[in-house]
Amino acid sequence: MEEIRDTKVSEGAPVSRRVRISDLADALGLTKSTVSRALNNYSDIAPETRRRVAEMAAKMGYAPMPYAQAVRTGRVRALGLVLEIDAPDRYGPFLAEFLGGITQEASLEGWTLTVASSSSREEMEATVTRLLQEHKVDGFILPRTRVADHRVDFLRAKHVPFVLYGRTGYGGPEHGLSWFDVDGGQAMRAAVLRLAGLGHRRIGFVGYAEEYNFALLRRDGYREGLAEAGLPLDPSLERLGVINRADGMRATEELLDLPDPPTAIVFSTDMTALGAYDAARARGITIGRDLSVIGYDGIPDGRMIDPPLTSFAVDSRQAGERLAALLIAQLRGAPAENLRELVEARLQPGGSDGPPVTT
Amino acid sequence: MEEIRDTKVSEGAPVSRRVRISDLADALGLTKSTVSRALNNYSDIAPETRRRVAEMAAKMGYAPMPYAQAVRTGRVRALGLVLEIDAPDRYGPFLAEFLGGITQEASLEGWTLTVASSSSREEMEATVTRLLQEHKVDGFILPRTRVADHRVDFLRAKHVPFVLYGRTGYGGPEHGLSWFDVDGGQAMRAAVLRLAGLGHRRIGFVGYAEEYNFALLRRDGYREGLAEAGLPLDPSLERLGVINRADGMRATEELLDLPDPPTAIVFSTDMTALGAYDAARARGITIGRDLSVIGYDGIPDGRMIDPPLTSFAVDSRQAGERLAALLIAQLRGAPAENLRELVEARLQPGGSDGPPVTT
């Protein structure tokens, strides 16, 4: 931490020493403890005393250390996170791990996390503006990068540092952006190759909403896997815009109702893959035997279900830690475009995939 | 919002006007925009310029509005939430809703939320101390009240305002505390009466870890329900310390293995009630017919499972909103002991409870 310097000078005089709580106490005829408690607005100090202390603090130019430091550095050492509370799946079961990662890493560096929420673009922009105006945040972590991401445009226009959870670059410019991402495309490719290796020739894909960058990257990974396995691309085997478990069930039923149905399906999220179990139960077929399924995320529900879901697990705690570390590095002056990290998801084998039934 | 007053005076002189960004700009020969961006540490301003601006700001006693206000009021208008990242169930699926409720309510009042995390008592205390010393938080929201809650003792000793999610008072003093709670005991009582009304005479109870106040309150509610229904209390039908789904499965199996097993079980959480479905599947019995089950929380997984779980639903968004409102009221001067709210959980009927099978 940098040294705190004096913040007040007499007109034209050399820099004087910082006003301390003991100075306020002397001036007011109160104990240091009472002054400190009054400044912190403790309820056991009478309102009148709190008012007197506040007025004297203002008069003498008293500023607590962090404010003094903030004035000098322009920083409050706070990361900002604006949650989109109407996100379709409400961040699933990852949020606690993700926040744990951010806050632990921030804490190690002496930073904190300010969380806000918004339910619309307008509210997000108003919230970000307020957090900046009130000096409550130095930079932002943006979850879930979109293909056309208005948050990126908004923060760049304001020259506010930020880091994205998820690459940009699907049809948009990448210049000067900082991000952390898990390579979902690579996982989808590996899932297809795994299924092809088991003997599957008709492999379906069920993807998320295409406004999100990761949904398109995963779809591309699936297609690369098909190409690499020498399997033809059949658009009728692809579904996008599948968000929740009920959607996943419907998409599975649609694929199974095709004239030449798939024997295996790769899902871009575990939550939607659980819908395949619902579809299988409804038809009396068995996951892992009659239909092979591979998911992505590694959620606890996938391990509890029978048979356990084969998935590519994402470490949400690590994601939070790395995003905090990258943003702090950027706020300390590292160029944003040097702050990019891509990690791989980890295969978590279950019992939901096996060789196709030969009929 | 209160009026911002001047924070700097010349020695002995009448209060002078606050130093403005335009004053810094004039003194430095820079534009106001450049000064503002330098103070906010924008990366398009050269480091040397940022340093010059920061030094002049310190020399002239410039303080941005919020700091000036904070100096005067001792407040930064930030609520604090310290998540226990090693909590056994990681706050389940409620966290996003809960945070959404807190941040939306705080935002309406012009406050923000600072989130930290800790994995031990020592870390929690160090984190709280740092947040207070750095003036990053005015008061705390404490989730999951414990029977012996060290956080309460710690914050009271520091005279820091806080509000609890969950009543205290199970064997401990209640004086002067502010809380919001959902009446889980009342829900457990209603669950027993509902099952008794269906004809069940042997009703088991599966409860959470008894270090948590709510676990004991729910157990008491179960016992009250039995007494009200005229059913005897049989300690062999009670289990405590049941945290997750696997525990719930084991507890169900233990109860079903009793010489005189229950025909219905009330679970203090939905997550553990889902374990009863696993136990039922393993034994080839049917939930809702061979075994009746009622849960508590209203989690999405309970609505997805077959048959849907009858549960008492908690509104986590409302909980977040009310906790934020109560803490802000307290920070504005309302006596903590007047700030208590108890609401009821809402019955969400499913297909998991029915009349007992007569053999």
Side-chain angles (χ1 to χ4, degrees):
Chain A
M1 195 157 64
E2 297 169 274
E3 196 198 347
I4 307 299
R5 302 203 199 152
D6 296 345
T7 58
K8 180 179 171 285
V9 291
S10 300
E11 227 60 59
V15 173
S16 65
R17 74 174 177 80
R18 195 167 64 83
V19 175
R20 300 207 178 89
I21 284 185
S22 55
D23 301 325
L24 297 181
D26 289 348
L28 288 157
L30 296 169
T31 66
K32 284 205 295 184
S33 161
T34 299
V35 170
S36 169
R37 301 165 81 77
L39 287 169
N40 286 292
N41 227 25
Y42 288 174
S43 55
D44 61 347
I45 306 293
E48 169 58 21
T49 306
R50 280 187 261 169
R51 196 187 54 73
R52 274 180 60 216
V53 172
E55 285 181 3
M56 183 61 75
K59 193 169 158 219
M60 294 179 67
Y62 169 80
M65 297 279 259
Y67 303 137
Q69 187 182 43
V71 169
R72 214 175 66 73
T73 66
R75 277 205 221 123
V76 289
R77 285 186 293 131
L79 312 179
L81 176 69
V82 181
L83 299 172
E84 296 171 287
I85 48 173
D86 294 332
D89 56 8
R90 291 179 164 56
Y91 302 94
F94 322 114
L95 189 58
E97 287 289 315
F98 185 61
L99 288 176
I102 296 174
T103 52
Q104 290 285 295
E105 178 68 23
S107 183
L108 285 175
E109 301 287 338
W111 290 62
T112 52
L113 174 69
T114 297
V115 175
S117 59
S118 71
S119 56
S120 68
R121 174 174 175 165
E122 290 66 33
E123 199 184 345
M124 189 282 294
E125 296 187 351
T127 299
V128 164
T129 301
R130 183 167 76 87
L131 291 173
L132 293 168
Q133 277 175 349
E134 297 186 355
H135 293 252
K136 284 190 159 174
V137 163
D138 300 304
F140 288 89
I141 293 171
L142 305 186
R144 296 181 185 241
T145 307
R146 291 197 181 74
V147 176
D149 203 313
H150 65 82
R151 301 171 301 176
V152 169
D153 302 333
F154 182 73
L155 291 173
R156 291 191 120 180
K158 285 186 167 289
H159 294 81
V160 178
F162 63 92
V163 59
L164 295 156
Y165 186 11
R167 277 158 292 173
T168 54
Y170 206 95
E174 277 234 39
H175 321 300
L177 295 181
S178 173
W179 47 256
F180 172 90
D181 204 1
V182 186
D183 198 345
Q186 164 59 23
M188 298 292 101
R189 179 179 150 275
V192 170
L193 291 173
R194 179 179 166 93
L195 292 165
L198 288 166
H200 293 275
R201 318 308 296 163
R202 297 280 293 164
I203 302 171
F205 176 74
V206 173
Y208 205 77
E210 56 195 311
E211 70 184 280
Y212 294 99
N213 219 49
F214 75 80
L216 298 177
L217 291 169
R218 290 183 202 171
R219 195 264 323 268
D220 291 353
Y222 157 78
R223 291 181 178 175
E224 285 165 26
L226 287 181
E228 202 167 327
L231 296 173
L233 175 65
D234 178 351
S236 75
L237 292 178
E238 283 184 9
R239 292 285 179 286
L240 280 183
V242 178
I243 309 290
N244 58 33
R245 185 165 173 164
D247 296 338
M249 178 177 178
R250 267 191 300 276
T252 304
E253 289 178 330
E254 285 170 23
L255 289 172
L256 293 179
D257 286 339
L258 290 174
D260 186 10
T263 56
I265 306 175
V266 177
F267 287 82
S268 74
T269 68
D270 281 354
M271 193 54 80
T272 53
L274 294 180
Y277 285 74
D278 302 329
R281 192 181 307 126
R283 304 193 168 214
I285 65 172
T286 301
I287 296 286
R289 192 192 62 191
D290 306 311
L291 177 66
S292 283
V293 166
I294 297 183
Y296 179 91
D297 279 332
I299 67 174
D301 279 356
R303 290 196 295 277
M304 296 300 302
I305 207 161
D306 182 35
L309 176 63
T310 296
S311 183
F312 285 84
V314 169
D315 186 339
S316 294
R317 172 175 295 270
Q318 178 198 39
E321 286 173 1
R322 295 311 305 155
L323 285 161
L326 292 174
L327 180 54
I328 291 170
Q330 192 185 149
L331 289 164
R332 285 178 175 157
E337 61 270 23
N338 295 353
L339 300 168
R340 295 177 179 177
E341 288 182 12
L342 185 65
V343 302
E344 292 207 358
R346 183 177 48 79
L347 175 66
Q348 190 175 275
S352 64
D353 56 336
V357 177
T358 44
T359 47
Chain B
M1 197 157 64
E2 297 169 275
E3 195 199 345
I4 308 298
R5 300 202 200 151
D6 296 346
T7 58
K8 180 178 169 288
V9 291
S10 300
E11 227 62 57
V15 174
S16 66
R17 73 175 177 79
R18 195 168 63 81
V19 175
R20 299 209 178 87
I21 284 185
S22 54
D23 301 325
L24 297 181
D26 290 346
L28 289 157
L30 298 169
T31 66
K32 282 204 297 183
S33 162
T34 300
V35 170
S36 170
R37 300 166 83 78
L39 287 169
N40 287 293
N41 226 26
Y42 287 177
S43 55
D44 61 347
I45 306 293
E48 169 57 23
T49 307
R50 280 187 260 169
R51 198 188 53 74
R52 274 179 60 216
V53 172
E55 284 180 2
M56 183 61 78
K59 191 165 159 224
M60 295 180 66
Y62 168 78
M65 296 282 256
Y67 304 135
Q69 186 179 45
V71 169
R72 214 175 66 72
T73 65
R75 277 203 221 125
V76 288
R77 285 185 292 131
L79 312 180
L81 176 68
V82 181
L83 299 172
E84 297 170 288
I85 48 173
D86 294 334
D89 55 9
R90 289 177 166 58
Y91 302 94
F94 321 115
L95 189 58
E97 287 290 314
F98 185 61
L99 288 176
I102 295 174
T103 52
Q104 289 286 296
E105 177 69 23
S107 182
L108 284 175
E109 301 287 338
W111 291 60
T112 52
L113 174 69
T114 297
V115 175
S117 60
S118 71
S119 55
S120 69
R121 175 174 174 165
E122 290 67 34
E123 200 184 346
M124 188 284 293
E125 295 186 353
T127 299
V128 164
T129 301
R130 182 166 77 88
L131 291 173
L132 293 168
Q133 277 175 349
E134 296 187 355
H135 293 253
K136 285 191 159 174
V137 162
D138 300 304
F140 288 89
I141 293 171
L142 305 185
R144 295 181 186 244
T145 307
R146 290 195 182 75
V147 177
D149 203 313
H150 64 84
R151 302 171 302 177
V152 169
D153 302 333
F154 181 75
L155 291 173
R156 292 191 120 180
K158 285 188 167 289
H159 294 81
V160 178
F162 62 92
V163 59
L164 295 155
Y165 186 11
R167 277 159 291 174
T168 55
Y170 206 94
E174 276 236 38
H175 322 300
L177 295 182
S178 172
W179 48 256
F180 172 89
D181 205 1
V182 186
D183 198 344
Q186 164 59 22
M188 298 292 101
R189 179 179 151 274
V192 171
L193 291 173
R194 178 177 166 94
L195 292 166
L198 288 167
H200 293 275
R201 320 307 296 162
R202 298 278 293 164
I203 302 171
F205 175 73
V206 173
Y208 204 77
E210 57 194 310
E211 70 183 282
Y212 293 99
N213 217 50
F214 75 79
L216 299 176
L217 290 169
R218 289 182 203 171
R219 196 262 326 268
D220 291 355
Y222 157 76
R223 290 181 178 174
E224 284 166 26
L226 288 182
E228 202 167 326
L231 297 174
L233 175 65
D234 178 349
S236 75
L237 291 178
E238 283 184 9
R239 293 285 179 286
L240 281 183
V242 178
I243 309 291
N244 57 33
R245 185 164 172 166
D247 296 339
M249 179 179 180
R250 268 191 300 277
T252 303
E253 289 178 329
E254 284 171 24
L255 289 172
L256 293 178
D257 286 339
L258 289 174
D260 187 8
T263 57
I265 307 176
V266 178
F267 287 81
S268 74
T269 68
D270 281 353
M271 194 54 80
T272 54
L274 294 180
Y277 285 74
D278 302 328
R281 192 181 307 125
R283 306 194 164 214
I285 66 172
T286 301
I287 295 287
R289 191 190 64 190
D290 306 311
L291 177 66
S292 283
V293 166
I294 297 182
Y296 179 91
D297 280 330
I299 67 174
D301 279 356
R303 291 196 293 277
M304 296 300 302
I305 208 162
D306 180 36
L309 177 63
T310 296
S311 182
F312 286 84
V314 170
D315 186 339
S316 293
R317 172 175 296 268
Q318 178 197 40
E321 286 172 2
R322 295 311 304 154
L323 285 161
L326 293 174
L327 180 54
I328 290 170
Q330 194 186 146
L331 288 164
R332 286 177 174 158
E337 61 270 22
N338 295 353
L339 300 168
R340 295 176 179 177
E341 288 183 12
L342 186 64
V343 302
E344 293 207 357
R346 183 178 47 80
L347 175 67
Q348 190 175 275
S352 64
D353 56 336
V357 178
T358 44
T359 47

